Amino acid sequence: MKAPRLLASAAFLLAPPRSRCLAGGADGPVLREMPAPSAPSAPANDDDDRPRPRKKLHDPDDRSRRGPADVWNEFLRSGRSPRRDRKPIRVDYEGQHPFEHSAPHDNPHDDARRTERWSVTAYNDESRYRPMRVQFDTHLLDALSEAYPSHVSYVRNVLLPSLRNFWAEALSIIPAAKIEVPLTGQNNQCADEVKELSGLDLDDYLRFDVAATPRFVSNIGKENNVELGDNGLSLVYHDRDLVVIVIPVEGTDLCPQRVEDFDSEADSQLQTLAFATNCQHDQVDRPTVGYTGICFAPMDPSDRTQKTHKRRVLTIAHEFTHILGMNSYDFPFFYDHATKRPRTPRNQWNMPPETQVLCVDGTRQSALTASEDTLKAVTTANGYIAYEVVTETVRNVVRNQFDCRTVEGGRLENQPTGEMDCFGSHWDHRLFNNEFMTAVYTGSTQYVTALTLALLEDSGWYIPNYGVAQNSPFGLGKGCEFLEGQCIQRGSVPEWGRGTFCSSGSSVGCTPGRYCSC
């Protein structure tokens, strides 16, 4: 049976299982964060001329027809700059990046992609990699600091620092001297998209250290490492490897306000917690800038128990991973660590091929297509098209997880999570039920496994620390039948699936060993 449709692209959802092929988790029934009490509105002040977030993408009369996931997908379809249209914005790696040495495809008309030639032996030392330094730029949250002071404080001072520390431990990268984000001009897609979603310009709410030259921004981080550059035309983030702009979206249709605001069954069962995507990449195609929206209504900032905090961190970590490159539109731009070259051949404009492909929703689309040693089409046991990531490390991890030496790779979700997502950007829920990069959170314990870290390693842009990975018990050692067979056969669970799958949602219960008892 085909799995239930996932309703959000790069948006993490809370949802009860709705399919007859039900997988057991660790914690039993679905867990939801109850909406916090409505925050008081910011007091009116006619003398306050600070910019306010406009209610972009917000139509109260359309609520019965559009939920947050629909609005986000609409933005991805028509409001976001496609990956193929972006121009790289050069990052200074101070001569240390191996791909700058080996790139065979420099376009003489593209200054951002010009590289300097160094000895090959200069790049075979992993000691050049350093823990990834993330800059969470939260200055636009000042727009909500009066109406939601507790939420803003929790996100800034508790949630995001925990996430930054996690990824610094999990991933290493060639350090960047600085990342520049244009505010205007042809390459200002990040600023444009932030404004489309929030109604705010990226330079709104900036505060400066008046005694400093150049003009350093005083309300981004605590290290005075962000300046207004290029005559006020860009923001420059020094000594950071990734910039994530946190945008204020509470009060727009991108976030649920109250459960009773939604009329449809799907909307009443789904609460969008966060969404994210990347919007800028460098001369070696690595995503260097992204943005995320965090919804406040499903979050009670006074609840800081370890279990709740861990769940929130994993939610934002899920979105963060999309920024890092776990997207179908980023797969064609992956590099090979061994050859230091793109995994997918490029044309004279350094672009992967655009071909007509069969998408997981059964339609044919023109899409940038990764090579078959990166992404490969397969047919599932139920006869549906799906795609698998078949890179070397991902393949080894999947084989070890299921104890199946014939499986070729990690399967992506075969239900489209958005109209623009042809191949899938999440792991398949049927096979990797409680991996944190599946698209639906069912309430069971989520695991940051070696599978996602392997994909990030095989992107070529990162070296992961597998010491942070957790072993998921779901399907562990179940063999090739678990991967290849139907989980419901003639109305019942086959022998190999017992203890993992159930045929009726009313009979799900979980044992301390994290397996389902039907």
Side-chain angles (χ1 to χ4, degrees):
M1 181 177 177
K2 204 173 183 182
R5 177 164 180 161
L6 307 177
L7 297 179
S9 174
F12 201 59
L13 305 172
L14 296 176
R18 296 194 295 170
S19 171
R20 292 184 65 244
C21 184
L22 299 169
D27 299 322
V30 175
L31 300 173
R32 292 172 181 260
E33 293 190 30
M34 297 303 294
S38 299
S41 300
N45 184 351
D46 292 339
D47 297 327
D48 187 353
D49 61 355
R50 292 181 301 167
R52 299 287 182 188
R54 294 176 298 183
K55 292 194 173 183
K56 302 285 283 186
L57 305 177
H58 182 73
D59 181 0
D61 296 331
D62 201 28
R63 284 249 174 140
S64 63
R65 291 180 286 113
R66 299 197 312 166
D70 300 310
V71 177
W72 176 243
N73 285 329
E74 177 185 324
F75 169 75
L76 292 178
R77 181 175 63 252
S78 60
R80 179 179 179 274
S81 176
R83 182 68 169 81
R84 65 169 67 87
D85 294 343
R86 291 192 217 158
K87 301 296 183 183
I89 297 180
R90 186 175 179 80
V91 168
D92 181 9
Y93 289 106
E94 300 181 321
Q96 300 299 304
H97 207 295
F99 303 161
E100 288 191 307
H101 161 76
S102 298
H105 44 64
D106 294 344
N107 177 2
H109 303 292
D110 190 347
D111 289 337
R113 293 193 183 276
R114 290 185 183 173
T115 60
E116 297 182 25
R117 304 303 181 184
W118 295 75
S119 166
V120 174
T121 58
Y123 299 101
N124 294 332
D125 185 0
E126 289 189 4
S127 67
R128 294 176 182 271
Y129 286 76
R130 295 288 186 271
M132 185 169 65
R133 302 163 301 173
V134 180
Q135 179 78 64
F136 285 108
D137 180 347
T138 64
H139 79 275
L140 288 179
L141 290 185
D142 284 357
L144 299 176
S145 60
E146 292 182 7
Y148 299 90
S150 297
H151 290 81
V152 170
S153 176
Y154 173 75
V155 168
R156 277 179 169 162
N157 301 315
V158 181
L159 186 59
L160 295 181
S162 295
L163 185 63
R164 182 177 61 239
N165 293 340
F166 170 79
W167 285 110
E169 182 181 7
L171 294 179
S172 292
I173 196 169
I174 300 293
K178 63 181 180 181
I179 294 174
E180 185 169 5
V181 180
L183 299 174
T184 61
Q186 293 182 337
N187 296 324
N188 70 329
Q189 62 271 1
C190 290
D192 279 350
E193 292 169 22
V194 166
K195 185 165 186 175
E196 175 67 19
L197 291 168
S198 69
L200 293 173
D201 291 314
L202 191 49
D203 56 355
D204 285 342
Y205 288 93
L206 289 178
R207 296 197 296 268
F208 298 93
D209 183 349
V210 295
T213 302
R215 298 182 67 192
F216 279 95
V217 180
S218 61
N219 63 331
I220 300 179
K222 300 178 180 179
E223 299 180 22
N224 226 31
N225 67 308
V226 183
E227 66 172 297
L228 193 63
D230 196 17
N231 296 317
L233 301 180
S234 66
L235 285 173
V236 182
Y237 302 79
H238 293 273
D239 301 318
R240 292 295 182 270
D241 306 310
L242 180 71
V243 175
V244 179
I245 302 162
V246 184
I247 57 179
V249 290
E250 198 66 27
T252 74
D253 274 356
L254 287 159
C255 289
Q257 302 303 296
R258 302 178 304 274
V259 173
E260 56 266 28
D261 284 338
F262 302 97
D263 297 332
S264 70
E265 177 184 353
D267 280 336
S268 67
Q269 291 182 342
L270 297 171
Q271 291 188 54
T272 302
L273 298 178
F275 58 87
T277 188
N278 54 53
C279 56
Q280 183 173 308
H281 65 278
D282 66 7
Q283 66 270 26
V284 296
D285 297 313
R286 179 178 72 84
T288 54
V289 183
Y291 50 81
T292 185
I294 301 173
C295 296
F296 291 164
M299 182 190 303
D300 177 2
S302 66
D303 181 0
R304 302 189 183 187
T305 61
Q306 182 178 2
K307 184 176 182 178
T308 298
H309 180 67
K310 180 180 178 181
R311 185 166 69 245
R312 291 171 181 162
V313 169
L314 282 179
T315 296
I316 311 303
H318 174 109
E319 299 309 318
F320 191 99
T321 307
H322 288 304
I323 294 175
L324 291 171
M326 188 168 176
N327 299 291
S328 61
Y329 54 79
D330 284 318
F331 297 153
F333 294 91
F334 280 10
Y335 270 69
D336 188 313
H337 270 294
T339 66
K340 312 295 191 293
R341 296 185 178 185
R343 298 185 63 95
T344 300
R346 308 290 179 83
N347 61 20
Q348 67 269 31
W349 302 108
N350 196 44
M351 293 295 289
E354 184 167 354
T355 60
Q356 287 288 326
V357 293
L358 181 61
C359 299
V360 294
D361 63 357
T363 64
R364 287 195 174 273
Q365 294 183 21
S366 178
L368 297 179
T369 309
S371 60
E372 285 204 348
D373 66 354
T374 301
L375 196 68
K376 190 173 182 178
V378 297
T379 302
T380 70
N382 290 334
Y384 295 103
I385 184 71
Y387 286 86
E388 291 184 351
V389 178
V390 293
T391 54
E392 297 81 2
T393 317
V394 168
R395 181 190 302 119
N396 288 337
V397 168
V398 175
R399 287 178 174 179
N400 291 336
Q401 170 71 16
F402 298 110
D403 192 20
C404 175
R405 308 318 297 173
T406 60
V407 63
E408 291 194 65
R411 186 172 302 170
L412 299 170
E413 183 57 58
N414 75 329
Q415 291 291 297
T417 53
E419 293 180 25
M420 305 302 292
D421 193 359
C422 183
F423 307 110
S425 298
H426 299 91
W427 298 122
D428 183 76
H429 198 257
R430 148 75 171 81
L431 301 179
F432 306 105
N433 176 269
N434 51 15
E435 219 284 342
F436 86 115
M437 284 309 297
T438 57
V440 175
Y441 171 58
T442 60
S444 62
T445 298
Q446 302 291 291
Y447 296 88
V448 178
T449 75
L451 178 62
T452 295
L453 296 181
L455 181 138
L456 294 175
E457 178 175 7
D458 287 345
S459 74
W461 300 317
Y462 315 99
I463 292 182
N465 169 19
Y466 287 99
V468 306
Q470 303 162 298
N471 290 324
S472 168
F474 188 80
L476 184 63
K478 289 282 188 175
C480 296
E481 283 185 306
F482 182 90
L483 294 165
E484 300 165 357
Q486 292 183 315
C487 53
I488 302 296
Q489 298 178 11
R490 292 185 289 276
S492 62
V493 179
E495 181 65 32
W496 54 262
R498 293 177 183 174
T500 304
F501 297 113
C502 301
S503 58
S504 170
S506 62
S507 62
V508 174
C510 299
T511 68
R514 299 186 178 91
Y515 288 100
C516 185
S517 174
C518 298

